[in-house]
Amino acid sequence: MVKEQLRPIITLNVNGREYELPVGEGVNEISPSETLVHTLRDRLGLTGAKLGCGQGVCGCCTVIMEGKAIASCVTLTLDCEGARITTIEGLADTATGELNNLQQAFVDKCGFQCGYCTSGIIMAAQALLDENPFPAEAEVREALAGNYCRCGTHYTAVDAVMTCVEKNREV
Amino acid sequence: MKSFKHVRPSTISEVSSILNKEKAVMLAGGTDLLGVLRERILPAYPDKVVSLSGLDELKYISEEKGVLKIGAMTTLNELEKSDLVKEKLPVLTEAAHSIASPILRNSATVGGNLCQDTRCWYYRYPHSIGGRVNCARKEGNLCYAMMGENRYHSIFGAARVNDPPCREKCPACTDIAGYMEKLRTGDIDGAAQTIMDVNPMPAITSRVCAHFCQEGCNRLRYDESLNIGSIERYVGDYILANADRFMKAPGSEKNKKASIVGTGPAGLTAAYYLRKHGYSVTMYERMKEAGGCLMYAIPAYRLPKDIVRRFVAALENMGVEIRCGVSVGTDGLSMEEIYQKSDCVMLDTGTWKRPLIGVAGEELTRFGLDFLVDVNNFIHERPGADVIVVGGGNVAVDVAITAKRLGVPKVSMVCLEKREEMPAGIEEIERVLEEGVDLVNGWGPKRILHGPGGVNGVEFKKVTSVFDKAGKFAPRYDEEKLMEVKGDVVLMAIGQKADLGFLEGEFQVETERGRIKAVEGSNTSVEGIFAGGDVTTGPATVIQAVTAGRNASVSMSEYMCGDLDITSPAPCLHRFDPISRRRDPAVKQRVATTSERSLEKEDASGISETDLQKEIARCFNCGCMAVNPSDLSNVLIALDAFIVTNMRRISAESFFTTDTRVPRTLEPGEIVLEVEIPLPAKETILRYDKFRLRKSIDFAVLSLATAYTVRNGYIADARVVLGAAAPIPMRMYDVERFLIGKIPSEAADEAAELALKDALPMENNSYKIDIAKVLMKRSLAF
Ligand SMILES: Cc1cc2nc3c(=O)[nH]c(=O)nc-3n(C[C@H](O)[C@H](O)[C@H](O)COP(=O)(O)OP(=O)(O)OC[C@H]3O[C@@H](n4cnc5c(N)ncnc54)[C@H](O)[C@@H]3O)c2cc1C
Ligand code: SF4
Ligand code: SF4
Ligand code: FES
Ligand code: FES
């Protein structure tokens, strides 16, 4: 006989901070059918991840979970129990607010236009750089293959990532 | 998103037991399922999502004795990045890499990829924008891709997902689309067999059936229903003309004896199936000839008696013994005797008795059914000069028209119902009017008017309503509003009763509302006695009786010997004629003009061979045209892989081709655990080529997985699987056979042609054929 687990609380670790959130169907509770992008945006106020297609196609909602870039729109929050999650808000220095190298490179190289897709692109690129700080351009393109930009900034985005890679080399 | 409960068990058996007990669905990475849940594309949803993310034991890739094993919860990213896979099976690395996007591959799992739902754009159309598309793959029955936007759909025909509506509406559940398909390939014998699997007398049913099947036909959305009735008649006549081949005595005898009391369609049908399977069958009939209502109730102008006689004769040739002129229970032959002599008995005695409704002077009227029996017994006497028929069903119609055709100058037909409420079919009502019968709706008989010379009319009272709020028959009248109809004969056609006198009270066969009570399996309350047809249901239709007869034969056979397997397996992909896309009216049978009509000559003539060809081409062969979206599936089939679940180990090929909906392939509680791939021989050349519009994210427009074992420059073994070309991954057996012994580069052109030889593109997707040919040639360019 399987007992239904009653889990009134879910623990998420987002950008280094622990959140304990109530689970249920109430207004202030995380519904079992809630996706991570909603939890981040609507409950934790981390609106950097955007909701685009809601189908895993566009990449706007990309966040890093356990070191991997994932689409938060097709991830159930309740499946993230105990997971370490980083959103775009977690990249800048918490104390000074200074942007990290990758973010700065996007600013410097104008790697965006309207910006809707940009946090997704940055998070996908960040996941790559965390694994491999000196990727070749082809690898960057490959890593960003699931991020679509309706403004057509794909080239400048790759350019920005490569600039960051070069800069990292210098350090 | 539809709300649901979420559980995350940590063992496989917990998952399985939840799936078994509840309306639950498995969630792996969620990349596919959450899209399905969010857009509310399905008419019904599970209450619970069982997350497999707690099953860490299903995340692995290993090699054991030349077999690569991949756990179902392994992500596509892990598969793609695995060094072991890169070394041993780079084709799998390639295939994994081609799936979706890097972000999705981080969550999407191998198991989820195999079990994902289709991507047809009609199917996935979101509920929030004007409502979901309830196509054949869901609970509907029309495939919108067939006549709609189909550029990404199948080029090899459809998968049967639900019964097409024609079959669903047919009481016998005839595989109509299936026999149309056989007819299109010229296999009329096969078509005949398909019908005879469920109905041994299509020559008869095609003539008398109301063709419920046609009411549901998907063509109605575009032009006209397929004229199934006329096609069935064509095949039925063919069967009768070749009865010696289609109705043969069984090859071996079972030495068990069944007796059937009554020779109506139910009894005859049971006799056919029982005899076919080697039982000895004796039938008893009180009338002069066998056939029951087919012979004596239905007028000859609808069903020529010659047809019935030929069918009965064919049954006799099979070895069914039919003893006519024996009234069981009265002619010295008792039920008891029959029961003792047989291994089981079936009762199909119909409803031949007149119900009395309690109208003053009712004894002066004549029972309409008796009148029909007389006429069918060649008593062609005018019943009177001015005939009143009371009743609004099909029997009343037959009575009225028969009277008219006997030359009665004035026939009035009076019924309770309004015209649109009448139980008679629309066509039947039209026929009545055409023949000059005076149809009067909305009146019920109050008393029969008579004088010294006999009947001189009927007094009717106005009906205020026929049915109550619940739709039950409960006529109400305005007793003040009266009408007199003059006439010298009144024929009552307001129902029939079963005459159960022959049961003699010895057998406690339970009855219900004057009928024999038959429970599931056609069993009566007495062991070894079965029943079917009108005697159990009350007056119904011939095809319902045929179905009851077939069901009874299955139960009787089970009772006497064990199973009776009377169905044949259906093929997997279903083909249509491209002409079916055109909007054309149906071919019609010629019906005699009113002046040509008579009592004995059949009104409708059959269709010609040319018309048959035209009409069968109109059938869509309704199914689902969506292609299998999984890239892994194609490669796994090419690699002769196996899918291991908590219940069994199945070849990848049967996993993907048994049913195109994975939830139906899997048993309740069944979970995909592992993929097993035997590592191919060193000299095997493997390739997965995927054509799509964008290099990332897009599903295959077409793909090809190949495995060629090459020795000394010649192909020794081949696996060729076309993806996204059909509802299932298409293993190209012809091409595989052709390639053996060939030099790859030399065989390429011919192999490409051969692979696409049977392609059946729709309006917008013939381009796929060219792509497939290119992929085929590329695979052999080494
Ligand atoms: C934008 C996009 C593009 C895509 N492109 C491609 C493509 O090009 N090629 C391709 O092949 N696929 C493609 N996919 C499909 C993708 O591969 C699947 O979504 C993914 O593999 C499903 O894995 P999942 O773990 O997320 O499954 P889920 O979404 O969790 O589950 C999918 C289905 O499988 C069932 N299921 C899951 N695991 C099991 C199991 N162990 N046993 C039994 N049933 C199970 C679930 O109940 C569910 O019905 C694409 C998907 C998206 C969203
Ligand atoms: S192809 Fe299949 S899924 Fe698509 S509309 Fe037709 S029946 Fe539905
Ligand atoms: S088109 Fe053919 S398969 Fe489809 S409903 Fe009509 S008769 Fe049946
Ligand atoms: S919003 Fe998640 S991928 Fe588009
Ligand atoms: S910058 Fe506008 S969507 Fe990418």
Side-chain angles (χ1 to χ4, degrees):
Chain A
M1 188 47 211
V2 183
K3 284 209 202 73
E4 211 151 286
Q5 275 172 288
L6 261 186
R7 288 191 305 178
I9 296 282
I10 175 164
T11 314
L12 300 178
N13 182 319
V14 185
N15 299 332
R17 197 178 139 189
E18 289 258 316
Y19 293 86
E20 293 206 326
L21 304 164
V23 174
E25 292 293 351
V27 203
N28 293 317
E29 292 172 330
I30 313 264
S31 151
S33 56
E34 184 165 314
T35 51
L36 183 60
V37 67
H38 284 289
T39 307
L40 294 173
R41 292 177 53 85
D42 305 341
R43 313 234 180 243
L44 309 185
L46 301 170
T47 54
K50 300 289 184 271
L51 182 64
C53 63
Q55 292 280 340
V57 182
C58 71
C60 287
C61 64
T62 309
V63 299
I64 300 177
M65 183 157 95
E66 297 299 333
K68 299 271 185 208
I70 59 144
S72 59
C73 69
V74 284
T75 303
L76 280 188
T77 306
L78 290 202
D79 264 345
C80 304
E81 166 71 41
R84 268 182 315 115
I85 296 162
T86 310
T87 69
I88 187 99
E89 289 88 346
L91 296 188
D93 190 305
T94 31
T96 62
E98 195 186 337
L99 298 182
N100 85 351
N101 283 350
L102 184 58
Q103 290 172 303
Q104 193 57 53
F106 270 78
V107 174
D108 294 345
K109 292 302 249 181
C110 216
F112 53 88
Q113 201 180 112
C114 79
Y116 200 81
C117 66
T118 311
S119 44
I121 293 187
I122 294 179
M123 294 317 286
Q126 187 66 51
L128 171 71
L129 296 184
D130 289 347
E131 229 174 77
N132 172 9
F134 306 112
E137 186 176 315
E139 288 170 293
V140 173
R141 285 172 182 269
E142 170 58 31
L144 298 184
N147 296 83
Y148 281 82
C149 169
R150 60 189 171 183
C151 303
T153 65
H154 303 94
Y155 289 98
T156 46
V158 171
D159 211 17
V161 180
M162 288 318 289
T163 307
C164 171
V165 171
E166 291 316 315
K167 206 158 174 197
N168 285 349
R169 250 190 246 285
E170 286 161 21
V171 205
Chain B
M1 183 148 6
K2 169 84 172 51
S3 72
F4 47 74
K5 293 214 176 76
H6 175 272
V7 279
R8 196 183 182 192
S10 52
T11 66
I12 293 163
S13 61
E14 274 177 80
V15 174
S16 178
S17 106
I18 295 171
L19 291 171
N20 252 321
K21 278 196 282 232
E22 298 176 56
K23 268 181 68 189
V25 64
M26 281 173 272
L27 178 99
T31 58
D32 178 54
L33 186 67
L34 290 177
V36 172
L37 296 177
R38 178 198 317 277
E39 301 299 356
R40 307 189 70 164
I41 60 174
L42 302 180
Y45 273 107
D47 311 322
K48 188 175 257 184
V49 160
V50 189
S51 170
L52 305 182
S53 61
L55 304 180
D56 287 336
E57 64 203 282
L58 295 183
K59 259 182 185 290
Y60 57 87
I61 302 176
S62 66
E63 188 197 339
E64 251 174 66
K65 298 188 198 124
V67 177
L68 193 72
K69 299 189 166 187
I70 305 166
M73 286 302 288
T74 308
T75 66
L76 297 176
N77 175 265
E78 286 157 355
L79 181 63
E80 176 193 1
K81 294 285 149 65
S82 155
D83 290 329
L84 181 64
V85 176
K86 267 184 210 157
E87 184 203 328
K88 303 281 178 172
L89 270 180
V91 69
L92 203 54
T93 311
E94 181 78 13
H97 178 73
S98 81
I99 296 172
S101 74
I103 298 171
L104 285 167
R105 293 198 291 275
N106 283 335
S107 311
T109 63
V110 170
N113 186 269
L114 305 185
C115 301
Q116 63 181 298
D117 209 346
T118 182
R119 287 281 165 174
C120 166
W121 46 30
Y122 292 106
Y123 184 83
R124 293 264 176 171
Y125 187 80
H127 185 52
S128 53
I129 313 175
R132 67 179 66 91
V133 175
N134 197 18
C135 66
R137 205 183 168 87
K138 300 179 189 171
E139 285 172 342
N141 41 46
L142 179 68
C143 169
Y144 292 81
M146 189 74 200
M147 296 285 265
E149 281 293 344
N150 46 33
R151 81 190 77 148
Y152 297 130
H153 288 79
S154 169
I155 51 167
F156 282 101
R160 199 78 81 215
V161 278
N162 283 331
D163 277 346
C166 51
R167 183 176 193 175
E168 214 175 28
K169 294 242 169 172
C170 170
C173 198
T174 311
D175 182 6
I176 292 161
Y179 82 75
M180 296 298 161
E181 176 161 17
K182 288 193 174 138
L183 288 175
R184 283 193 299 274
T185 63
D187 179 14
I188 182 164
D189 282 23
Q193 213 51 65
T194 302
I195 300 180
M196 290 182 83
D197 280 346
V198 294
N199 170 8
M201 50 177 89
I204 294 172
T205 50
S206 62
R207 287 175 162 84
V208 300
C209 188
H211 301 305
F212 307 103
C213 53
Q214 296 183 184
E215 290 166 19
C217 176
N218 279 332
R219 279 219 78 97
L220 280 169
R221 300 249 191 157
Y222 302 104
D223 38 44
E224 266 186 292
S225 152
L226 194 72
N227 185 348
I228 302 168
S230 298
I231 302 170
E232 183 189 354
R233 173 167 165 174
Y234 189 96
V235 181
D237 287 349
Y238 176 83
I239 293 170
L240 274 191
N242 295 279
D244 49 333
R245 280 196 292 124
F246 290 106
M247 296 174 73
K248 280 204 287 249
S252 65
E253 298 288 338
K254 282 213 165 74
N255 296 318
K256 295 267 179 188
K257 184 170 159 53
S259 294
I260 301 175
V261 182
T263 59
L268 293 172
T269 302
Y272 166 79
Y273 289 112
L274 290 169
R275 186 63 200 134
K276 184 177 164 202
H277 288 86
Y279 293 94
S280 95
V281 181
T282 309
M283 304 187 77
Y284 300 92
E285 170 58 56
R286 69 187 164 99
M287 303 293 277
K288 241 178 28 226
E289 287 188 79
C293 64
L294 304 176
M295 200 64 204
Y296 292 102
I298 301 172
Y301 59 83
R302 290 210 286 133
L303 177 62
K305 299 308 142 194
D306 167 53
I307 303 272
V308 184
R309 289 195 185 101
R310 281 164 63 202
F311 177 73
V312 170
L315 263 187
E316 287 180 312
N317 281 338
M318 289 175 79
V320 172
E321 189 194 343
I322 305 182
R323 297 177 51 190
C324 290
V326 181
S327 229
V328 173
T330 52
D331 284 347
L333 181 68
S334 67
M335 254 311 277
E336 179 64 28
E337 238 177 296
I338 296 178
Y339 187 66
Q340 293 307 335
K341 278 200 304 204
S342 328
D343 293 295
C344 74
V345 180
M346 176 188 175
L347 305 177
D348 168 33
T349 49
T351 49
W352 294 90
K353 224 169 99 175
R354 151 177 214 178
L356 290 176
I357 52 169
V359 171
E362 200 171 358
E363 65 284 358
L364 299 170
T365 64
R366 220 175 136 187
F367 183 28
L369 190 60
D370 285 346
F371 163 68
L372 290 177
V373 172
D374 286 349
V375 174
N376 276 319
N377 267 323
F378 304 104
I379 304 175
H380 289 185
E381 278 166 15
R382 278 191 207 179
D386 192 351
V387 173
I388 303 169
V389 179
V390 180
N394 287 330
V395 174
V397 168
D398 285 344
V399 169
I401 293 181
T402 301
K404 196 77 198 164
R405 291 194 186 183
L406 276 170
V408 175
K410 181 162 174 284
V411 177
S412 329
M413 177 171 164
V414 186
C415 66
L416 305 177
E417 297 89 355
K418 295 193 203 115
R419 195 147 304 176
E420 61 280 7
E421 293 169 336
M422 284 172 66
I426 298 170
E427 280 176 33
E428 298 297 304
I429 297 171
E430 275 168 13
R431 207 200 298 236
V432 166
L433 297 172
E434 253 175 40
E435 305 251 341
V437 172
D438 195 7
L439 177 58
V440 187
N441 294 89
W443 296 87
K446 185 177 167 72
R447 67 193 169 99
I448 309 299
L449 306 172
H450 53 94
V455 173
N456 50 33
V458 181
E459 184 176 51
F460 289 95
K461 48 189 173 178
K462 183 77 196 154
V463 175
T464 52
S465 68
V466 181
F467 303 99
D468 65 11
K469 282 212 184 74
K472 268 194 19 215
F473 182 77
R476 293 164 74 113
Y477 304 94
D478 179 347
E479 303 280 347
E480 304 295 302
K481 261 200 190 149
L482 302 174
M483 167 184 78
E484 266 182 31
V485 177
K486 291 263 166 272
D488 52 8
V489 171
V490 181
L491 296 172
M492 301 294 278
I494 45 163
Q496 290 136 248
K497 273 180 28 177
D499 186 351
L500 301 177
F502 70 98
L503 290 174
E504 302 149 10
E506 280 172 59
F507 286 91
Q508 296 305 309
V509 176
E510 202 180 326
T511 57
E512 198 175 51
R513 285 186 294 158
R515 302 169 197 152
I516 295 177
K517 189 172 170 193
V519 290
E520 198 167 337
S522 323
N523 288 289
T524 66
S525 59
V526 178
E527 196 185 318
I529 299 190
F530 299 79
D534 288 359
V535 75
T536 61
T537 55
T541 61
V542 173
I543 190 69
Q544 277 164 295
V546 164
T547 307
R550 183 180 181 277
N551 292 343
S553 75
V554 175
S555 306
M556 291 163 80
S557 174
E558 260 167 22
Y559 176 77
M560 291 186 283
C561 271
D563 282 350
L564 179 64
D565 184 15
I566 43 186
T567 45
S568 41
C572 200
L573 288 181
H574 298 278
R575 302 173 66 82
F576 51 89
D577 189 316
I579 282 189
S580 61
R581 259 201 305 271
R582 279 209 327 235
R583 296 177 191 225
D584 282 333
V587 157
K588 309 281 186 331
Q589 302 193 133
R590 187 181 177 279
V591 179
T593 59
T594 32
S595 62
E596 289 168 342
R597 295 180 195 173
S598 76
L599 260 184
E600 286 299 310
K601 209 175 139 280
E602 188 173 10
D603 284 354
S605 19
I607 55 171
S608 67
E609 152 81 29
T610 325
D611 279 352
L612 174 87
Q613 295 303 338
K614 255 201 217 157
E615 196 55 16
I616 57 181
R618 291 178 70 239
C619 175
F620 289 141
N621 209 351
C622 296
C624 168
M625 293 286 176
V627 298
N628 180 309
S630 162
D631 283 303
L632 289 185
S633 67
N634 308 313
V635 180
L636 293 182
I637 293 176
L639 287 168
D640 293 332
F642 284 87
I643 314 284
V644 181
T645 74
N646 54 338
M647 298 184 186
R648 57 191 161 149
R649 180 171 175 272
I650 357 173
S651 72
E653 188 170 358
S654 54
F655 186 86
F656 292 111
T657 55
T658 309
D659 196 308
T660 60
R661 286 150 307 165
V662 177
R664 292 222 189 166
T665 305
L666 295 178
E667 301 289 326
E670 187 168 19
I671 310 160
V672 172
L673 302 181
E674 184 183 82
V675 176
E676 259 184 25
I677 311 169
L679 291 174
K682 278 258 155 6
E683 62 268 28
T684 310
I685 296 177
L686 296 156
R687 187 182 164 104
Y688 186 61
D689 210 348
K690 171 170 171 178
F691 179 87
R692 52 180 159 175
L693 298 184
R694 297 174 293 190
K695 255 170 102 183
S696 174
I697 279 287
D698 284 341
F699 286 86
V701 168
L702 212 89
S703 64
L704 182 70
T706 46
Y708 299 127
T709 312
V710 184
R711 296 204 185 99
N712 308 321
Y714 293 91
I715 297 179
D717 196 9
R719 291 286 178 281
V720 178
V721 184
L722 255 188
I728 54 170
M730 282 285 280
R731 185 158 165 206
M732 316 301 287
Y733 284 99
D734 283 358
V735 181
E736 292 176 5
R737 273 191 293 271
F738 163 78
L739 285 174
I740 291 178
K742 302 276 182 339
I743 297 172
S745 56
E746 288 177 4
D749 287 352
E750 222 177 311
E753 292 307 318
L754 186 59
L756 279 303
K757 166 171 79 45
D758 291 328
L760 187 58
M762 290 188 283
E763 193 161 18
N764 319 110
N765 67 5
S766 52
Y767 73 95
K768 280 193 175 193
I769 295 181
D770 298 327
I771 297 171
K773 285 184 185 170
V774 172
L775 298 190
M776 199 56 233
K777 288 185 208 175
R778 269 193 209 159
S779 78
L780 288 160
F782 57 87

